[in-house]
Every structure is written in structure tokens, then in C-alpha cells.
Amino acid sequence: MADDSTFRGSDVFGSYAAIGDSFTEGVGDPGPDGRFVGWADRLAVLLADRLPDPEEFRYANLAVRGRLLDQIVAEQVPRAKELAPDLVTFCAGGNDIIRPGSDPDDVAERFERAVADLTSVVGTVLVTTGFDTRAMPVLRRLRGKIATYNGHVRAVADRYGCPVLDLWSLRTVQDMRAWDHDRLHLSPEGHTRVALRAGQVLGVDVPADPDQPWPPLPPRGTLEVRRDDIHWAREYLVPWIGRRLRGESSGDHVSAKRPDLLPL
């Protein structure tokens, strides 16, 4: 039975490969070298620190922004199987779910086939649910579809013995400070909190509480909120919709940032 609070396994992971889309690539969390960092990179550091010699830890991040589930299965799952790390984190299907007319039941069936494929080779496959979008403009309308897909993800996890990173229940990321200016990707603090929660799920003693409350914000007037919403729609929402209508992806011409298992 999958447990979304603490992983019952006692293994110390010596290698880890992350697969997925922009969330796992780390979009919204830029590093000093210009590449994105993100929760998966931060989780890798937590896992490496558990080893007697952290330099022996190996990590690959195969995720690419904008990828749909079938693209992740075709491009990243075979590479993850080839690398055969101790741990794989698998977050996929979110870009499919937010597309008009998508069927979460169908997406979940394809997700399960990928999990079955991965678990045949990898010792531990951690899967993730989608976020609760109740406070997010536009995406709040998809909350029911996301909840349905989450139910499927949990059922798949139960069937294959996968730990679950439950993003829906991580209430601190419902604060807008956990999100980038585009309101579609996490901020550095949001990525940090997800990494801490993932560490908890895998039984790691993490250095901070991901559920730690945010400090209070000064009150904002209705006019200020509306002005920010208009700016967001013009700068981020309209271009995002335009790319969808043109069949373009933010991940076009982007490759995985860490295609091999390498030291941190």
C-alpha cells in the first residue's frame, strides 16, 4: 500500500533520475549559471547528504518543459530504464490534463502503463499528484479534472507499491508566494518546499518544515489585485494560450539538463 507521508523502505539511495515536465526541470527557480534548479535538484542534495560520502551520489534530470505524457514516456522513460538508478521520480500528465477536452481516465491509463514499465527495472518509483488549483486563476476551473487524475495516481501507486508525493495536500504552496510571476510554475521557495516534502515522503530527515506558515502579508486593495491580474493576463496568459493555439511548446528545442547520472 502506498504511503504519502513517509516511505517505509530503509534503502539509502545512491542514484536518482527525475523525469517529467517543467515542474521537474525546475522552471521558476533559476540558478546562478542560468540553468533552472528546482525541487528535484534540491531533493538530490538531500539524498546525497545521507551517504557516508556524498560525492558518490549520482543524479540525472531528464525532464523537459512542456512535455506531454506520451512524449515523456517515449523520450525519458527508456533513458531512465537504461540508467537504472535506485530511485526515479515520475511526474507527468499535468500538461495533458489542462488541455481542453482531455480525459483524466485515459491519461491515467497511459500513466499506469509507464509506471508498470519503470517499476520492472527501478527499485523505487515516486509518483506525484497535481496541485490543488482552487486559488489559481483559470486553472481553478480544472480542479475537478485534476482531483480525478489524482485519485487515479494514488490507485496506481497502491497497485505498484510507489511512494506518493501528494502536492494537493501541501497547503503552503497554495500561497501565491510559492509561485513564479507567471502563476504556472513554482518560485524558488515553492520548489524548496516541495523538495522538503519529497524528502519526508522518502524518509529523509529534512532541515526545515515544508508546512511552515508564511509570514503575514499586508492587506491589498481590490484595485491593486485587479491591476496585477490584468498585467498577468497580458504578460503570461495570452502568450500561453497563443502557443497552445499554434501547437507550440515552451520545450521546443530544449533538451534535458542532466541526461547522465553524474555527481552533484
Side-chain angles (χ1 to χ4, degrees), residues 18-30 36-41 59 61-69 71-72 76 91-95 98 131 139 179-180 182-187 191 240 243-244 249-251 254 257:
I19 60 180
D21 52 29
S22 60
F23 168 61
T24 302
E25 184 186 349
V27 174
D29 185 9
F36 292 114
V37 182
W39 71 272
D41 289 21
Y59 169 56
N61 190 315
L62 310 177
V64 177
R65 69 199 75 167
R67 290 300 193 260
L68 299 169
L69 173 59
Q71 293 172 313
I72 293 170
Q76 300 175 32
C91 179
N95 287 328
I98 64 177
F131 293 99
L139 293 183
W179 294 88
D180 193 21
D182 66 4
R183 305 185 186 181
L184 296 170
H185 300 100
L186 292 175
S187 66
H191 277 286
W240 181 74
R243 288 196 300 272
R244 294 298 179 273
S249 169
S250 58
V254 176
K257 64 182 182 181

Side-chain angles (χ1 to χ4, degrees), residues 50-149:
R50 299 184 77 192
L51 298 179
D53 182 2
E55 293 185 1
E56 294 183 356
F57 186 80
R58 297 294 183 269
Y59 169 56
N61 190 315
L62 310 177
V64 177
R65 69 199 75 167
R67 290 300 193 260
L68 299 169
L69 173 59
D70 288 346
Q71 293 172 313
I72 293 170
V73 171
E75 300 168 5
Q76 300 175 32
V77 169
R79 179 58 177 160
K81 291 173 62 182
E82 181 182 1
L83 294 173
D86 299 331
L87 169 71
V88 164
T89 56
F90 182 31
C91 179
N95 287 328
D96 299 73
I97 295 300
I98 64 177
R99 291 204 163 197
S102 62
D103 180 357
D105 299 331
D106 173 67
V107 177
E109 288 179 4
R110 291 182 278 127
F111 177 84
E112 179 164 6
R113 289 196 291 269
V115 169
D117 196 20
L118 281 168
T119 54
S120 69
V121 176
V122 179
T124 300
V125 178
L126 180 147
V127 298
T128 70
T129 71
F131 293 99
D132 185 350
T133 58
R134 74 175 77 181
M136 301 174 69
V138 181
L139 293 183
R140 68 166 63 96
R141 300 180 180 180
L142 302 175
R143 192 169 181 240
K145 286 177 66 175
I146 295 169
T148 299
Y149 185 63

Side-chain angles (χ1 to χ4, degrees), residues 162-243:
C162 300
V164 180
L165 173 56
D166 184 4
L167 301 174
W168 185 280
S169 69
L170 186 57
R171 295 188 180 276
T172 54
V173 296
Q174 293 173 14
D175 188 293
M176 291 309 296
R177 285 170 286 184
W179 294 88
D180 193 21
H181 298 301
D182 66 4
R183 305 185 186 181
L184 296 170
H185 300 100
L186 292 175
S187 66
E189 178 66 18
H191 277 286
T192 297
R193 290 179 183 245
V194 169
L196 292 170
R197 182 63 180 137
Q200 288 180 333
V201 171
L202 293 171
V204 177
D205 291 329
V206 297
D209 181 5
D211 291 312
Q212 180 178 351
W214 295 82
L217 282 172
R220 303 176 71 228
T222 303
L223 183 59
E224 184 180 4
V225 172
R226 179 169 175 77
R227 185 168 53 244
D228 286 349
D229 287 345
I230 292 172
H231 173 77
W232 167 77
R234 182 174 58 248
E235 295 295 321
Y236 300 105
L237 179 61
V238 172
W240 181 74
I241 293 173
R243 288 196 300 272

